[in-house]
């Protein structure tokens, strides 16, 4: 609750050792984390987690900020996985990765399963995997200052950051096993993480000065193998690459809407893909050798 007494303003913890936003403490989060955007997806995929061998039930908590952590054992193994509801956007992924890192001992593996806008024709409903990397597409506020912004680009595109190659390979081969269409059900390429669902994904608006009418075209010209627009993966892969070799990360996302033709998946198709891709992501985490997080 908001009344929690905190200590250490540099990295706040409460009196029980719980982090400020994710709200978990040591012993509650596995070294293997599946990060998903919303609570319904976390709930759906918790079917793959079983009680602990000592009889303890699957652990579940929701923080006052709305993040959730569900930790249990996978299949007949004694390997644990935590499913974390990461909510949306770069800062929330930052909270999850940093605050999970603070309460987990030893190396970690994190896989994100999200939804995304599908950028390539014919990829609606496919799983889009940033095996070739992930860029950040973000608004450049300086370009919007009337007197000084002239000549500046209103959107900036970072250089790509890569997933952990072995973890990403694990994910692709597990997806091949679980997706109804096998390899045809996925497409690898570059993911574009954006700092807005609207402006920096090229959705136009009369209500704001967004200067984004040509943004999707610009992204596709600069990054011909761009497959997806979503909002968290860059932060995950970037932080993993800055984790001094302690975090391996990879990601995939379901092509929920195809941008070029404006088509959406049906809710039923979405749940089927969430289940299949979620199973694959959990199996990829379980099969990953944690001693190999260093690149
Ligand atoms: C936007 O609708 C949200 O959906 C996508 C985006 O990254 C953003 O978080 O992913 P999730 O379904 O995982 O939240």
């Amino acid at each position: 609750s908001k009344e929690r007494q905190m200590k250490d303003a540099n990295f706040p913890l409460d009196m029980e050792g719980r982090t400020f936003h994710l709200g978990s403490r040591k012993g509650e989060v596995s070294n293997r984390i599946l990060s998903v955007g919303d609570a319904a997806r976390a709930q759906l995929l918790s079917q793959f987690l079983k009680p602990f061998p000592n009889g303890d039930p699957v652990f579940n908590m929701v923080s006052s900020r709305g993040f959730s952590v569900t930790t249990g054992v996978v299949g007949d193994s004694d390997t644990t996985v935590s499913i974390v509801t990461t909510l949306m956007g770069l800062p929330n992924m930052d909270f999850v990765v940093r605050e999970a890192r603070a309460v987990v001992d030893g190396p970690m593996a994190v896989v994100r399963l999200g939804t995304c806008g599908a950028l390539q024709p014919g990829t609606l409903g496919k799983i889009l995997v940033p095996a070739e990397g992930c860029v950040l597409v973000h608004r450049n506020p300086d370009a919007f200052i009337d007197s000084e912004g002239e000549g500046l680009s209103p959107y900036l595109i970072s250089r790509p950051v890569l997933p952990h190659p072995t973890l990403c390979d694990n994910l692709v081969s597990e997806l091949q096993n679980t997706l109804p269409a096998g390899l045809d059900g996925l497409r690898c390429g570059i993911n574009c993480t954006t700092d807005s669902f609207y402006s920096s994904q090229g959705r136009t608006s009369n209500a704001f000065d967004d200067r984004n009418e040509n943004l999707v075209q610009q992204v596709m010209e600069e990054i011909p193998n761009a497959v997806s627009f979503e909002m968290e993966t860059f932060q995950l892969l970037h932080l993993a690459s800055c984790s001094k070799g302690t975090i391996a990360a990879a990601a995939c996302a379901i092509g929920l809407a195809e941008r070029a033709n404006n088509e959406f998946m049906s809710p039923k198709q979405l749940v089927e893909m969430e289940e299949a891709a979620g199973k694959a992501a959990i199996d990829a985490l379980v099969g990953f050798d944690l001693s190999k997080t260093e690149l």
Side-chain angles (χ1 to χ4, degrees):
S1 79
K2 286 215 165 16
E3 298 84 51
R4 284 187 301 160
Q5 176 65 50
M6 306 302 295
K7 57 186 176 192
D8 188 354
N10 182 61
F11 195 93
L13 292 175
D14 72 10
M15 295 305 163
E16 295 179 349
R18 296 185 177 281
T19 62
F20 201 8
H21 311 88
L22 193 57
S24 52
R25 62 177 171 181
K26 286 205 177 191
E28 295 177 345
V29 184
S30 170
N31 297 58
R32 299 168 202 271
I33 294 175
L34 174 61
S35 157
V36 300
D38 78 345
R41 196 174 314 139
Q43 167 77 34
L44 176 75
L45 300 180
S46 66
Q47 66 179 294
F48 299 118
L49 301 184
K50 303 275 177 286
F52 294 84
N54 68 2
D56 285 353
V58 171
F59 172 82
N60 180 255
M61 62 156 290
V62 183
S63 81
S64 61
R65 294 285 184 171
F67 296 104
S68 80
V69 176
T70 308
T71 305
V73 170
V74 178
D76 297 328
S77 69
D78 54 5
T79 306
T80 61
V81 166
S82 290
I83 299 173
V84 176
T85 305
T86 305
L87 310 174
M88 292 177 282
L90 298 157
N92 283 329
M93 181 58 87
D94 196 72
F95 285 129
V96 166
V97 175
R98 290 180 188 274
E99 296 191 15
R101 177 64 286 176
V103 297
V104 170
D105 294 323
M108 295 169 66
V110 186
V111 172
R112 163 168 153 80
L113 167 61
T115 59
C116 64
L119 296 177
Q120 299 286 342
T123 55
L124 178 70
K126 288 188 192 288
I127 307 291
L128 306 170
V129 185
E132 294 162 34
C134 176
V135 298
L136 180 64
V137 179
H138 61 106
R139 212 171 150 98
N140 179 10
D142 292 352
F144 293 83
I145 300 172
D146 280 345
S147 53
E148 300 162 33
E150 242 167 89
L152 296 178
S153 176
Y155 296 88
L156 301 174
I157 306 177
S158 78
R159 293 176 56 181
V161 54
L162 292 169
H164 188 284
T166 316
L167 186 58
C168 184
D169 284 352
N170 280 8
L171 182 60
V172 168
S173 52
E174 295 295 351
L175 285 166
Q176 191 179 346
N177 292 336
T178 61
L179 295 180
L183 264 186
D184 281 346
L186 66 89
R187 175 77 72 90
C188 293
I190 289 189
N191 172 63
C192 307
T193 294
T194 63
D195 65 346
S196 167
F197 178 79
Y198 296 102
S199 67
S200 45
Q201 291 192 12
R203 292 187 169 90
T204 52
S205 159
N206 289 328
F208 296 93
D209 174 14
D210 283 331
R211 307 181 201 179
N212 63 351
E213 293 76 11
N214 301 318
L215 181 59
V216 176
Q217 192 189 340
Q218 182 199 336
V219 167
M220 299 313 288
E221 277 169 13
E222 287 186 29
I223 311 168
N225 52 345
V227 290
S228 49
F229 267 153
E230 54 75 80
M231 300 181 63
E232 297 80 17
T233 297
F234 184 87
Q235 194 67 12
L236 170 60
L237 301 187
H238 169 59
L239 282 180
S241 78
C242 297
S243 70
K244 306 181 178 179
T246 72
I247 303 176
C252 63
I254 303 162
L256 178 61
E258 189 167 316
R259 291 301 304 277
N261 63 13
N262 276 325
E263 301 244 337
F264 260 92
M265 290 174 83
S266 72
K268 183 167 172 284
Q269 286 172 316
L270 176 60
V271 168
E272 281 167 15
M273 290 306 273
E274 285 179 317
E275 254 181 324
K279 172 88 171 65
I282 288 170
D283 288 346
L285 284 163
V286 170
F288 182 70
D289 180 350
L290 279 175
S291 69
K292 302 274 165 61
T293 52
E294 205 141 345
L295 284 170

